[in-house]
Amino acid sequence: FVRMCYASNYRHSAKPREKAVYPVRWQPFTEESLRSKSGFSAMGAYFALEIYSALEIPVGIVGSYWGGTCIEPWIPAEGFAAVGLDPAECIPRKQPHQHPAVLWNEMVNPWAPMAMRGFIWYQGCSNSSRPDLYTGRMHALYKGWSKKFANPKLRLYFVQLAPWSGGGHPEFQQAQAKFAAEEPNAGMAVINDLGNLTDIHP
């Protein structure tokens, strides 16, 4: 009763797409299907199993992610507007796929407004140089997604940026914690005592 869809097509779009331009296929949650989709999130797989075990209802999970990206490309235009932020004022990025909203437009918008209950999120390294901006960016992300999915009670569970001996990120972790404290529908998994200090990807 767990189904998954791997939707990481690693494409970006300047305008929101109404339909996915990649094959959308729900697959049974089996060892064989997970092996055939080697890019599917291991954490996402275990999370889906935990949800099913706890609720005992059918669960569907969509994997849509792009490693090394900033938060701004995942924020829809409505999210920027909700916090009074002009996307043009965001930190300029040379790569086109790092521009504001372009990953939301391509990799998430085709799923709206499906009846999504929530999202899990692990991101931060690419924004860690500006912890002063991150709390606001997370609010923009949440407000944009909850509006686009027409769910004011949308859950957003995210993982604290992992500890790292290459510099650490205490100010950034504080910015993440501040968002979690301010948004009732969000929760942060604290991992400051876990991970691998010599590898930012635990």
Side-chain angles (χ1 to χ4, degrees):
F1 292 101
V2 180
R3 297 289 183 269
M4 69 173 188
C5 183
Y6 183 66
S8 292
N9 63 340
Y10 302 104
R11 294 164 58 102
H12 56 87
S13 174
K15 296 181 179 180
R17 291 195 184 276
E18 298 302 320
K19 294 183 179 181
V21 296
Y22 46 85
V24 175
R25 180 185 173 198
W26 289 99
Q27 297 188 32
F29 215 68
T30 63
E31 183 178 347
E32 291 74 21
S33 62
L34 285 170
R35 283 182 175 178
S36 68
K37 295 296 182 184
S38 58
F40 198 86
S41 165
M43 184 181 72
Y46 281 107
F47 186 84
L49 291 173
E50 286 290 328
I51 292 293
Y52 174 69
S53 177
L55 301 179
E56 296 184 343
I57 60 173
V59 172
I61 185 167
V62 177
S64 186
Y65 28 77
W66 189 332
T69 53
C70 301
I71 190 174
E72 290 85 357
W74 299 100
I75 301 173
E78 291 83 352
F80 288 107
V83 298
L85 182 64
D86 182 354
E89 297 175 358
C90 294
I91 302 172
R93 307 286 179 177
K94 293 182 180 179
Q95 304 96 328
H97 72 277
Q98 297 282 33
H99 292 177
V102 297
L103 297 185
W104 161 270
N105 291 342
E106 174 74 32
M107 298 175 64
V108 186
N109 192 70
W111 296 91
M114 286 184 68
M116 298 286 188
R117 294 292 186 93
F119 295 85
I120 51 178
W121 176 262
Y122 180 58
Q123 185 273 341
C125 290
S126 297
N127 289 93
S128 61
S129 64
R130 293 300 305 271
D132 56 314
L133 301 177
Y134 199 74
T135 300
R137 298 292 196 266
M138 284 293 286
H139 279 295
L141 181 87
Y142 178 79
K143 290 179 183 297
W145 288 28
S146 62
K147 181 175 182 178
K148 293 293 287 184
F149 281 95
N151 184 354
K153 295 183 179 180
L154 191 76
R155 301 299 190 208
L156 175 60
Y157 298 140
F158 65 98
V159 181
Q160 180 185 50
L161 193 59
W164 185 43
S165 59
H169 306 285
E171 294 86 2
F172 190 84
Q173 291 170 334
Q174 289 175 356
Q176 291 178 300
K178 187 174 187 293
F179 165 74
E182 293 174 351
E183 175 49 61
N185 292 322
M188 181 175 74
V190 176
I191 63 166
N192 205 32
D193 57 342
L194 300 174
N196 183 341
L197 291 178
T198 62
D199 185 354
I200 193 60
H201 301 108

